[in-house]
Amino acid sequence: MSTGKPPSRRGALTPTLIVVALVVVGFIFFANVWTDVLWYRQLGFIEVFVTENLARIGIFLAGFAVMFLGVFFAIRIAYQSRPVYAPDSEIRDNLNRYQAQLEPVRRVVMVGLPILFGLFAGSAAASQWQKVLLFFNQEPFGQQDPQFNLDISFYLMTLPFLGFVTGFLISVVVIAGIAGILTHYLYGSIRLMERGVFTSRAAQIHIAVTGAAFLVLLGINFWLDRYSAVQSNSGRWAGALYTDVNAVIPTKAILAVAAALVAILFIVAAVIGRWRLPVIGTAMLVITSILAGGVYPWVIQQFQVRPSEETLEKEFIQRNINNTRTAYGLDKIQVNRYDATNTATTGALAPDAQTTANIRLLDPNLISDAFSQLEQYRPYYQFPEALNVDRYEVDGKIQDTVIAVRELNPTNVATNQQGWLNQHVVYTHGYGVVAAKGNKFTVDGKPDFLQSGIPSTGVLGDDSTYQPRIYFGESSPEYSIVGAPDGAPAREQDRPSGREGEGETQYTFEGNGGPNVGTFFNRVLYSIKFQSSDLLLSDGVNAESQILYDRNPRERVEKVAPYLTVDGNAYPAVVDGRVKWIVDGYTTSQYYPYSQQEQLSNATADTQTTSGRAVALPNSTVNYIRNSVKATVDAYDGSVTLYAWDDQDPLLKSWQKVFPTSLKPYSEMSGDVMSHVRYPEDLFKVQRQLLGQYHVTDPSSFYKTNDAWSVPADPTVDTDVKQPPFYMSLQMPDQDKPAFQLTSSYIPQIVNGNARNVLYGFLAADSDAGNQAGVKADSYGKLRLLQIPPEIQVPGPGQAQNKFNSDPTVSQALNLLRQGASDVLNGNLLTLPVGGGILYVQPVYLKSTGETSYPTLQRVLVAFGDKVGFAPTLDEALKQLFGGDSGAAAGDSDNNGQTPANPGPPATPAGADAKAELKAALDEANAAIKAGQAALAGGDFAAYGEAQKRLSAALDKAVQAEAKIPVAAPEATPAPASSPGPEATPSPSPSS
């Protein structure tokens, strides 16, 4: 009796292990879901999480149910209608053998197979949740397409849903039909006989119904294809062209009717049992679809359209032009002729005095190292590779500003302090905003800071007027544990002290920035989520602890607004006493009728994205885009606010019906935030890409493409990548005063990599939204295009750069600057329509090869027509260019005469020269000591006396050099990035 017990135990082990594995997997899944719930609930966007996931679950269940029921009943009906006897004994024996093998698992297969297909179908359907929600919450556009006169919302919200449903049902019918036919064959209802195919009456009815259902759905699909023709991108221009309108659309209607008629024949065949008519009908449908759907349109295109293409396609090209311009927001662009002059006359800049005073000299892509060396202070801080351009009011005037936040760089903490506690509890945040004037620099070429230092001070405020701590940024750690009960000792590294000898300060987070991990249950969940046992066991986690994660501003906005495409560049601003990241969000679609499609990644690519200084947009294709949402992300507590910026966008209105509480009207935006809103870069880049062709509104000219433009390549790099747009304060010719603008230029179309590099156009987008709370300036977002007549040969950016590089005076001066192992760096080449022509401005930086070196601005290059100016300041360079008097003062005019005419290598950190003198003196002293010892050993007392004199002189030099080395307080002289860590690191835990 006892021999049977061990097998029973072993038999129970497998189910037990399976159950345990399922429980573990289930709990891990639950941990990830519930932590998401905690994150959304803490942030106040639980509505988004619930709505999206309920929609996904509901659509999954619907898709699962339809596929499961279709396949299940197809198999069940085929099985129940199986014949009792088979007419052929040999075949019956083979089928009986198959049936006998299947019988033990038949019930499992008949249910399991539909479940398997249902799971795949449900997952595929759930991924289309946005189409479903938009269909049930759609808002009309109030505009009709030119072919069917249907509201645009039909194409963006109804047609995609109907296409999804039709395609899904066709898949169900096909899969269920195949499953039913295989079951009929397996159980003898369908036989392959010598005289043909034997089909039972039940199988005939089953096949007929399946075929009729398929044909009905195919007919619906043909009918919907009529409307899809206006979304086509298969021709030279988007939309339904002459052949589509006169051949494709009518034949699709014919095919739809024919498919319905053949479906009726299948039903008739199921009733009367005769299959000749449906077989003939199916053959005719196939032949008709080939002839009417392929051959006939080809004949029309080749023999009617091609010989007279321009005439016949004119109406449809006009539709494409109108709808593309509307879909991309180009329909209200203001176009002005600009008869630019190439002659730099004395006093020409007088009408543009305000623009001239604000011309930006600091290149945000080159001065990150300068910010780091002058303002980093500790190795665990960092600045981004590319800084941002914004504007602030300084002394009653708007000042273009280059701005960045001092973010945390925990990977640069000393190796012996890289433990879990330091990484996630001690080093948790960056500190402070650093900003410099865009149009000025110090005499030795350094940024002229408006906001700097630790503690943070400057015109933007100090610790008492704004919260400088940066817990949420573009380089924040994966997660941090912050917060503590009242009275508990602070454990977070805060910042270097403002007083010499006081070491570092500690801080405790006081906001509501993340879910609570004080309970044991939540600690377990987050330990699973981040796969960290330290999070569960460390004493760094207390009852009031919060966990901060998903800290990148762009990613936070993408997570709470999954229907948006987010701009690749979030930028910080000091507003309302906080540092807030401002993020632009777009509603997009690829279904706008007669609109040209663009791939976002290609349209927005430039030297910023290819170098990694800006985030590249995804490879999605769109033909409609709106900057519908402005979002702010608080850098201290991570709170996200979404403002419905384009509240007239029907797509956004539809999403507001889906998520009614997640967006606020822009009327609730503060004046402080409003004053830092700017026109988004990626939208502008998409628009400038389209405008290269669609500035032409005459269909005949558009057809000939004889006036197409291209965005010039960036002349400051060696690759043929597009020049990025530039933010600057600029007064366009029709404006009364300067406005903060986003600008770009055009040259003739680049064909096979070749183009005439002359300027054809200049585009500017007004980025000033005003500074009144809840009131958007009417001028915001206005696009202005200056068209330069082709007969006026204005040099393009590439020609201007070539003039700079080939000018003998410039070359000689730059060669002098390169002496001493220094690199000359060309800053961004700005294009400005001032002085009645086009002015090019390029700052020139110098950087030595040392590890702690940084670029300093040493020269400014300017060009107007064929003339070039080159001087230590922009003001002097403009005077050279305009005959000794430009008519306006540049922002750096105060530096005139102060910068050395032939500067040597760039400025080195304070005290570097004195340190070099000290080292040389000590080397001399060491050499004198050795010489004296050698003389003494040889008995040469005269030589020994000379050595002692040299030693005494060397020591005097050393004392004098040491006296020159400054002893700086932390707030005055920052430590270089390579300096050791803090004097007193709080709560070090190298062993963690």
Side-chain angles (χ1 to χ4, degrees):
M1 296 293 290
S2 61
T3 57
K5 291 182 180 180
S8 64
R9 289 172 184 167
R10 288 196 298 269
L13 180 61
T14 300
T16 302
L17 291 176
I18 293 174
V19 170
V20 170
L22 289 176
V23 170
V24 171
V25 171
F27 189 75
I28 292 174
F29 175 77
F30 168 78
N32 284 281
V33 172
W34 190 247
T35 51
D36 276 347
V37 171
L38 295 176
W39 188 90
Y40 278 97
R41 189 168 64 185
Q42 182 276 327
L43 204 54
F45 285 89
I46 190 64
E47 171 195 68
V48 175
F49 179 84
V50 172
T51 302
E52 177 184 344
N53 284 280
L54 285 180
R56 287 180 180 272
I57 292 170
I59 298 167
F60 172 85
L61 293 176
F64 174 86
V66 172
M67 180 63 78
F68 173 84
L69 293 174
V71 176
F72 176 78
F73 281 109
I75 295 174
R76 183 177 178 84
I77 291 171
Y79 174 76
Q80 290 180 339
S81 61
R82 67 193 184 281
V84 179
Y85 301 105
D88 186 272
S89 60
E90 181 182 353
I91 296 177
R92 183 177 66 240
D93 290 342
N94 289 333
L95 290 175
N96 286 340
R97 187 160 50 251
Y98 295 147
Q99 293 167 13
Q101 293 174 353
L102 179 64
E103 188 60 28
V105 293
R106 176 179 58 80
R107 294 180 182 275
V108 174
V109 171
M110 290 181 66
V111 176
L113 201 61
I115 288 176
L116 181 63
F117 280 112
L119 290 174
F120 284 119
S123 299
S127 66
Q128 304 297 312
W129 66 276
Q130 294 193 12
K131 290 180 181 177
V132 176
L133 290 182
L134 277 179
F135 172 74
F136 287 107
N137 296 276
Q138 59 182 284
E139 281 282 322
F141 273 66
Q143 304 168 3
Q144 286 73 41
D145 78 285
Q147 179 61 36
F148 297 101
N149 295 316
L150 296 173
D151 191 88
I152 300 297
S153 62
F154 171 80
Y155 298 97
L156 270 66
M157 305 182 209
T158 299
L159 191 58
F161 172 78
L162 296 179
F164 154 64
V165 172
T166 304
F168 182 81
L169 292 178
I170 288 176
S171 301
V172 172
V173 169
V174 170
I175 293 173
I178 293 173
I181 289 172
L182 290 176
T183 306
H184 278 299
Y185 175 78
L186 183 62
Y187 285 95
S189 296
I190 299 176
R191 303 286 183 84
L192 301 177
M193 310 285 290
E194 292 182 0
R195 293 173 296 176
V197 180
F198 165 78
T199 310
S200 70
R201 178 66 176 157
Q204 290 179 6
I205 295 174
H206 193 161
I207 293 173
V209 172
T210 301
F214 175 79
L215 287 167
V216 169
L217 291 170
L218 187 63
I220 294 173
N221 200 54
F222 279 136
W223 190 260
L224 294 177
D225 281 347
R226 297 167 60 251
Y227 302 109
S228 299
V230 301
Q231 301 168 328
S232 172
N233 276 269
S234 58
R236 285 184 61 186
W237 309 277
L241 305 179
Y242 182 90
T243 300
D244 298 309
V245 170
N246 294 280
V248 175
I249 291 176
T251 55
K252 291 291 184 182
I254 294 171
L255 289 172
V257 174
L261 292 175
V262 177
I264 294 174
L265 293 179
F266 269 87
I267 298 299
V268 172
V271 175
I272 66 176
R274 297 179 182 272
W275 288 88
R276 171 175 281 185
L277 287 178
V279 170
I280 294 174
T282 301
M284 292 299 296
L285 180 62
V286 173
I287 294 172
T288 303
S289 64
I290 294 174
L291 293 176
V295 176
Y296 176 59
W298 181 83
V299 171
I300 295 295
Q301 182 67 30
Q302 293 298 315
F303 299 103
Q304 186 174 351
V305 175
R306 284 191 64 183
S308 307
E309 187 175 50
E310 182 179 352
T311 302
L312 295 181
E313 299 288 22
K314 184 175 182 179
E315 175 188 357
F316 308 103
I317 293 174
Q318 189 66 64
R319 292 180 179 183
N320 172 249
I321 293 172
N322 294 342
N323 280 33
T324 299
R325 287 170 65 94
T326 300
Y328 288 95
L330 300 173
D331 50 331
K332 297 179 181 178
I333 188 170
Q334 177 180 311
V335 181
N336 293 321
R337 178 185 172 102
Y338 189 59
D339 294 316
T341 178
N342 284 321
T343 304
T345 59
T346 302
L349 297 183
D352 303 293
Q354 294 184 67
T355 298
T356 305
N358 252 325
I359 293 176
R360 180 168 52 78
L361 296 174
L362 293 191
D363 184 346
N365 300 319
L366 291 182
I367 61 169
S368 177
D369 286 346
F371 272 50
S372 296
Q373 288 299 320
L374 298 171
E375 287 294 324
Q376 183 171 312
Y377 284 89
R378 290 294 185 268
Y380 52 80
Y381 289 139
Q382 64 178 327
F383 289 98
E385 185 178 354
L387 311 185
N388 283 284
V389 179
D390 200 353
R391 71 281 192 199
Y392 286 86
E393 185 173 332
V394 179
D395 297 330
K397 296 181 180 179
I398 298 301
Q399 171 74 59
D400 283 9
T401 306
V402 177
I403 189 171
V405 294
R406 191 184 287 108
E407 290 205 53
L408 184 67
N409 182 14
T411 60
N412 212 24
V413 176
T415 305
N416 65 344
Q417 297 180 355
Q418 289 282 349
W420 182 89
L421 192 69
N422 279 346
Q423 288 289 309
H424 299 288
V425 177
V426 175
Y427 294 97
T428 60
H429 62 276
Y431 181 88
V433 168
V434 178
K437 297 176 182 178
N439 62 342
K440 297 182 180 181
F441 54 95
T442 63
V443 174
D444 54 353
K446 299 175 185 176
D448 188 355
F449 291 109
L450 290 166
Q451 188 77 21
S452 61
I454 293 181
S456 181
T457 57
V459 298
L460 309 187
D462 55 35
D463 287 13
S464 65
T465 59
Y466 87 99
Q467 173 55 262
R469 294 167 182 87
I470 311 297
Y471 282 89
F472 293 82
E474 296 176 314
S475 302
S476 298
E478 180 185 16
Y479 68 92
S480 294
I481 308 298
V482 299
D486 293 338
R491 307 190 70 167
E492 297 178 52
Q493 165 67 29
D494 191 29
R495 57 172 174 79
S497 173
R499 298 180 181 178
E500 185 178 358
E502 288 191 0
E504 312 294 312
T505 63
Q506 285 74 53
Y507 182 75
T508 298
F509 179 75
E510 298 174 350
N512 179 20
N516 180 274
V517 285
T519 66
F520 179 75
F521 183 67
N522 282 3
R523 290 173 71 170
V524 171
L525 294 181
Y526 279 104
S527 296
I528 294 173
K529 180 179 180 68
F530 292 108
Q531 302 177 21
S532 171
S533 59
D534 295 289
L535 200 157
L536 180 64
L537 303 174
S538 174
D539 65 351
V541 185
N542 57 68
E544 299 298 325
S545 288
Q546 303 172 40
I547 183 167
L548 313 182
Y549 61 99
D550 288 338
R551 300 162 75 172
N552 185 290
R554 293 184 67 258
E555 294 173 359
R556 288 177 81 79
V557 173
E558 287 174 337
K559 199 168 177 180
V560 301
Y563 49 89
L564 294 178
T565 300
V566 176
D567 190 89
N569 187 16
Y571 59 99
V574 179
V575 294
D576 302 322
R578 306 295 278 254
V579 178
K580 292 190 178 183
W581 296 92
I582 300 178
V583 186
D584 287 285
Y586 310 115
T587 45
T588 62
S589 176
Q590 58 178 331
Y591 301 115
Y592 201 95
Y594 279 102
S595 178
Q596 196 70 32
Q597 289 190 350
E598 279 290 337
Q599 191 177 53
L600 287 179
S601 59
N602 290 337
T604 59
D606 58 17
T607 52
Q608 293 291 89
T609 59
T610 55
S611 65
R613 291 191 290 259
V615 178
L617 291 193
N619 291 324
S620 54
T621 300
V622 304
N623 66 3
Y624 172 89
I625 186 170
R626 290 290 185 271
N627 178 209
S628 53
V629 172
K630 299 283 188 184
T632 63
V633 179
D634 194 301
Y636 182 73
D637 62 19
S639 56
V640 178
T641 306
L642 303 178
Y643 296 101
W645 186 250
D646 187 351
D647 52 6
Q648 300 304 308
D649 174 32
L651 273 182
L652 183 64
K653 288 182 178 180
S654 299
W655 286 118
Q656 284 181 291
K657 291 171 68 175
V658 176
F659 305 112
T661 65
S662 65
L663 285 100
K664 295 182 178 181
Y666 74 81
S667 59
E668 296 185 20
M669 185 181 288
S670 72
D672 223 2
V673 174
M674 189 75 73
S675 66
H676 291 282
V677 164
R678 65 186 193 185
Y679 200 83
E681 288 182 72
D682 285 328
L683 172 61
F684 184 79
K685 287 191 279 190
V686 172
Q687 289 176 320
R688 73 171 180 175
Q689 178 77 6
L690 267 297
L691 201 61
Q693 281 187 296
Y694 286 89
H695 69 277
V696 177
T697 57
D698 176 68
S700 296
S701 298
F702 192 91
Y703 173 82
K704 297 170 185 174
T705 65
N706 55 6
D707 192 24
W709 300 344
S710 292
V711 177
D714 191 340
T716 64
V717 297
D718 295 330
T719 56
D720 290 329
V721 183
K722 285 179 288 191
Q723 187 181 38
F726 299 116
Y727 287 104
M728 65 179 79
S729 288
L730 173 68
Q731 181 177 338
M732 293 289 280
D734 66 313
Q735 290 182 290
D736 297 329
K737 59 181 181 180
F740 193 64
Q741 318 250 16
L742 183 57
T743 66
S744 187
S745 56
Y746 290 102
I747 61 174
Q749 186 175 29
I750 300 174
V751 180
N752 298 325
N754 299 314
R756 293 172 58 235
N757 208 287
V758 294
L759 205 67
Y760 268 22
F762 181 85
L763 179 65
D766 195 316
S767 293
D768 271 340
N771 56 10
Q772 296 184 41
V775 179
K776 188 195 310 183
D778 294 336
S779 60
Y780 173 85
K782 187 175 185 62
L783 294 173
R784 293 178 171 86
L785 176 65
L786 300 181
Q787 284 188 301
I788 301 174
E791 62 270 17
I792 302 177
Q793 300 293 308
V794 176
Q799 281 191 15
Q801 188 68 59
N802 289 335
K803 289 180 185 296
F804 292 155
N805 296 340
S806 60
D807 186 276
T809 303
V810 174
S811 299
Q812 182 180 5
L814 292 181
N815 288 333
L816 288 175
L817 290 175
R818 290 188 180 98
Q819 293 179 1
S822 298
D823 294 328
V824 174
L825 306 176
N826 291 326
N828 44 207
L829 182 61
L830 302 181
T831 307
L832 299 98
V834 294
I838 296 296
L839 173 68
Y840 291 100
V841 177
Q842 183 175 58
V844 178
Y845 292 83
L846 199 63
K847 182 179 180 180
S848 66
T849 55
E851 291 185 3
T852 60
S853 64
Y854 56 87
T856 58
L857 199 152
Q858 296 293 333
R859 287 289 189 271
V860 181
L861 283 161
V862 293
F864 194 97
D866 293 327
K867 196 172 181 181
V868 172
F870 184 58
T873 66
L874 172 61
D875 194 69
E876 289 182 10
L878 292 176
K879 288 178 179 179
Q880 288 181 16
L881 200 63
F882 291 95
D885 180 15
S886 66
D892 64 348
S893 59
D894 291 342
N895 286 358
N896 288 345
Q898 298 187 50
T899 305
N902 293 299
T908 54
D913 291 339
K915 291 177 181 178
E917 292 177 14
L918 175 61
K919 183 178 183 303
L922 292 177
D923 288 342
E924 290 178 17
N926 188 44
I929 291 173
K930 291 181 179 179
Q933 290 175 343
L936 191 61
D940 188 349
F941 293 101
Y944 176 77
E946 290 295 323
Q948 290 300 106
K949 291 180 181 179
R950 293 200 302 272
L951 174 62
S952 178
L955 291 176
D956 288 340
K957 290 181 182 179
V959 171
Q960 293 173 10
E962 186 178 23
K964 297 178 183 178
I965 300 176
V967 180
E971 71 271 23
T973 305
S978 58
S979 65
E983 306 93 319
T985 302
S987 304
S989 182
S991 60
S992 302

